[in-house]
Amino acid sequence: MPLPPGAVRLVGGAPAAEALPTKELADAFTTALTGATALQYSVATGIEPLRAWIADHEGTTPDRVLVTNGALHGLSLLFAALLDPGDVVAVENPTFPVALRVLAQYGAQVVGVPSSAAGLDLDALEQRLRDGLRIKLLYLIPDFQNPTGATLAAADRARAVALAERYGFVVVSDNPYRSLRFAGAALPDLPLASDAVVRVNTFSKTLGPGLRSGWIVAPEWVLPVLTRLRANVDQHSSLLTQTALAGVLAEPGFFDGVLANGRELYRERSGALTAALRSRLGERAAFDEPEGGIFLWVRATEPGLDLVALRERARALGVEFALGRYFDPEGAGGHTDRIRLGFSNATSADIELGVERIAAAWAG
């Protein structure tokens, strides 16, 4: 059933249009096009000025950086480099369903590890490893996890890496929301000092997904494989886009200003969402107060409530959201008491209207 006109969409992971630096990027692309150089071929790893900026941002050296066409492209390259059909990959349960589809494309056998508001249950993972489970990769979203919004504690980040080194697997930090913290204290990403850590990230949530630009930071032992794959598949990212990004990112204070603007918008919209849920649904909906990111993971407290039917009623009333079961890595049987609400690309007024419609659907 199609959504009616004027529907409020609380589903996606798109950034707020108001948070994107359109004028600065327009100027940067114009400058990049002053000659024909930016329309030529480039190198597989990415241009040096952009790699240098990313390296500084990540606290590493440019030779550890590969520029990609976004985070999903980075994950695809990484999975192609490291996985053989049948390899076991551990993931948070629940987790990002598109990453699961990419893993399936490479023939991975996915094992879900329970996670909560505190992040991945490392006790459960370690027990399974002690019992003989052998994994090739551990796929994590450490900050403001999709869909739960959880942030993995610093001690647990170190513990995950220690387990990777002890049991011989690679831990992948897919961390696109890390820069979008609007409350609380920031935590360091997984440590690059370990040869068992790969970071994947993107400009999609900060500068815009239409740029199709991101990066991998990987150990020296895997970079040549990733670079060779990249050269064989699509040669390189757009030189024009890389040149424009390198130019605008070199402007003092530019990226920090973009982040500050986005954080303030998401703080306001997160507050509008949580306030509306408390007002309209009260104790029927339980959630943790967000400190960043762009999603809210909501639990329906009424036993046996059919959220599939509720979603259909909500769609008819003009609001869309994602069911929790979509994020179950082991099928669609889990998280049937959960919904995920996205607050990044809807105004506070639209968020309040959307929650009003959800409450009406909840009432039946």
Side-chain angles (χ1 to χ4, degrees):
M1 178 179 67
L3 288 167
V8 177
R9 299 175 185 271
L10 302 177
V11 285
E18 304 93 320
L20 302 181
T22 52
K23 181 184 184 306
E24 293 89 341
L25 285 170
D27 291 345
F29 274 92
T30 298
T31 300
L33 280 168
T34 54
T37 303
L39 298 178
Q40 296 291 348
Y41 289 107
S42 186
V43 293
T45 51
I47 62 173
E48 286 304 315
L50 184 56
R51 293 175 75 201
W53 185 92
I54 292 168
D56 183 66
H57 181 70
E58 291 280 0
T60 187
T61 54
D63 61 324
R64 300 278 301 274
V65 174
L66 176 73
V67 177
T68 65
N69 297 329
L72 201 62
H73 179 226
L75 290 175
S76 184
L77 286 171
L78 185 63
F79 297 160
L82 298 183
L83 295 177
D84 294 313
D87 281 344
V88 180
V89 177
V91 303
E92 296 155 305
N93 186 1
T95 195
F96 179 40
V98 182
L100 297 174
R101 294 202 293 268
V102 179
L103 285 167
Q105 180 177 318
Y106 291 101
Q109 178 184 342
V110 171
V111 172
V113 180
S115 62
S116 66
L120 185 72
D121 185 343
L122 285 162
D123 288 340
L125 175 61
E126 185 167 7
Q127 186 59 56
R128 296 192 68 174
L129 293 169
R130 286 176 175 171
D131 290 343
L133 176 69
R134 291 297 173 262
I135 63 176
K136 196 68 156 299
L137 298 177
L138 170 62
Y139 169 73
L140 293 177
I141 306 172
D143 289 271
F144 314 119
Q145 198 256 5
N146 183 5
T148 66
T151 292
L152 194 64
D156 287 339
R157 296 175 192 226
R159 184 179 173 191
V161 175
L163 288 174
E165 293 173 341
R166 186 186 315 163
Y167 288 97
F169 59 86
V170 172
V171 58
V172 181
S173 170
D174 180 13
N175 219 353
Y177 314 107
R178 182 170 180 267
S179 295
L180 303 180
R181 176 177 288 277
F182 46 76
L187 297 176
D189 205 336
L190 273 63
L192 293 173
S194 172
D195 273 352
V197 170
V198 178
R199 294 183 190 170
V200 178
N201 217 315
T202 180
F203 289 113
S204 291
K205 310 304 181 187
T206 53
L207 302 183
L211 293 169
R212 306 314 304 137
S213 187
W215 63 89
I216 299 172
V217 181
E220 292 178 0
W221 65 268
V222 75
L223 246 303
V225 182
L226 292 169
T227 304
R228 188 163 56 250
L229 278 170
R230 181 67 196 277
N232 291 343
V233 171
D234 66 345
Q235 292 196 324
H236 59 79
S237 294
S238 161
L239 180 55
L240 174 59
T241 300
Q242 291 187 75
T243 304
L245 281 175
V248 75
L249 289 166
E251 294 294 328
F254 164 75
F255 194 64
D256 288 342
V258 170
L259 294 183
N261 184 34
R263 289 166 180 157
E264 180 59 21
L265 273 172
Y266 302 145
R267 183 192 63 77
E268 292 174 2
R269 293 176 180 186
S270 167
L273 177 58
T274 56
L277 287 169
R278 291 190 181 98
S279 173
R280 296 283 181 178
L281 292 172
E283 294 183 356
R284 290 177 291 173
F287 51 86
D288 295 302
E289 195 72 30
E291 292 190 340
I294 58 177
F295 300 118
L296 189 69
W297 188 234
V298 179
R299 178 173 62 88
T301 61
E302 301 170 41
L305 181 64
D306 185 348
L307 288 180
V308 175
L310 187 151
R311 178 173 174 268
E312 288 305 306
R313 295 194 298 272
R315 284 175 56 86
L317 292 171
V319 61
E320 176 72 302
F321 55 82
L323 292 169
R325 65 192 183 110
Y326 296 157
F327 303 92
D328 185 351
E330 297 177 337
H335 316 296
T336 56
D337 62 342
R338 302 276 185 161
I339 62 174
R340 190 197 71 178
L341 302 176
F343 55 80
S344 55
N345 62 339
T347 65
S348 293
D350 279 345
I351 287 169
E352 291 164 7
L353 177 60
V355 173
E356 178 183 337
R357 291 171 177 174
I358 291 172
W362 211 293

